[in-house]
């Protein structure tokens, strides 16, 4: 099992490659399991029976961080102006309670995040108008991902 550490937009990720078959890999990102498709298959040596990453392909495991949230992968262009509401821990969005243009008050629940089989209400930290919603129901997010912005 190979371990890699990445920093994406200031958020640290620990990626473990558990198994690779052809272009499909079973990985764990900060302890959350994913199946990802590699753009370039990684070659394994038959004598060692484990994955060897050659220097030219050292960046090949990078797609493993993509399941973090495709919407969070490019938030710089998608984030509206205002205060960012960040994911306090990795999990899955089970409910989005606001839309762009909605007025919210500090303490209002803006979405629900399921983590470790618990529903966590994510609240607005300040009052204002929702300027962007970067997640949808069913999205998997990592800790520190921008979920919503309030202006």
């Amino acid at each position: 099992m190979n371990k890699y550490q990445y920093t994406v937009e200031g958020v640290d990720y620990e990626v473990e490659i558990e198994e690779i078959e052809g272009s499909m890999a079973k990985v764990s990102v900060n302890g959350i399991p994913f199946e990802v498709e590699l753009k370039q298959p990684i070659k394994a040596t038959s004598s060692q029976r484990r994955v060897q990453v050659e220097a030219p392909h050292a960046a090949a495991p990078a797609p493993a961080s993509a399941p973090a949230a495709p919407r969070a992968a490019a938030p710089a262009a998608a984030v509206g102006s205002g205060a960012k509401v960040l994911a306090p821990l990795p999990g899955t969005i089970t409910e989005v309670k606001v839309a762009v243009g909605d007025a919210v008050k500090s303490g209002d629940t803006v979405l629900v995040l399921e983590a470790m089989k618990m529903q966590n209400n994510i609240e607005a930290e300040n009052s204002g108008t929702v300027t962007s919603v970067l997640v949808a129901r069913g999205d998997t997010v990592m800790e520190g991902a921008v979920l919503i912005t309030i202006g």
Side-chain angles (χ1 to χ4, degrees):
M1 182 174 356
N2 292 326
K3 290 185 182 183
Y4 300 91
Q5 292 188 348
Y6 296 99
T7 301
V8 179
E9 295 182 8
V11 179
D12 292 328
Y13 298 96
E14 183 174 292
V15 180
E16 293 181 50
I17 300 177
E18 297 168 1
E19 179 183 338
I20 298 176
E21 276 189 38
S23 64
M24 294 302 294
K26 290 184 180 180
V27 301
S28 174
V29 180
N30 289 356
I32 300 174
F34 294 98
E35 285 192 19
V36 297
E37 184 174 357
L38 303 172
K39 297 216 181 229
Q40 295 177 333
I42 298 173
K43 297 178 184 178
T45 59
S46 58
S47 62
Q48 293 180 343
R49 300 230 184 244
R50 63 178 216 182
V51 176
Q52 295 293 322
V53 179
E54 298 173 3
H57 300 292
S65 63
R71 297 171 195 265
V79 175
S81 61
K84 297 173 181 152
V85 176
L86 305 177
L89 64 166
T92 303
I93 304 299
T94 59
E95 188 175 355
V96 178
K97 296 188 172 215
V98 295
V100 173
D102 288 355
V104 295
K105 295 179 186 168
S106 181
D108 286 353
T109 299
V110 292
L111 55 88
V112 179
L113 174 76
E114 180 181 307
M116 299 181 285
K117 299 184 182 181
M118 294 185 65
Q119 300 294 319
N120 299 278
N121 290 334
I122 306 302
E123 299 175 348
E125 294 180 5
N126 47 342
S127 299
T129 303
V130 176
T131 58
S132 66
V133 177
L134 303 171
V135 294
R137 185 172 190 236
D139 285 354
T140 300
V141 297
M142 298 306 293
E143 181 178 352
V146 179
L147 307 173
I148 294 173
T149 55
I150 301 171

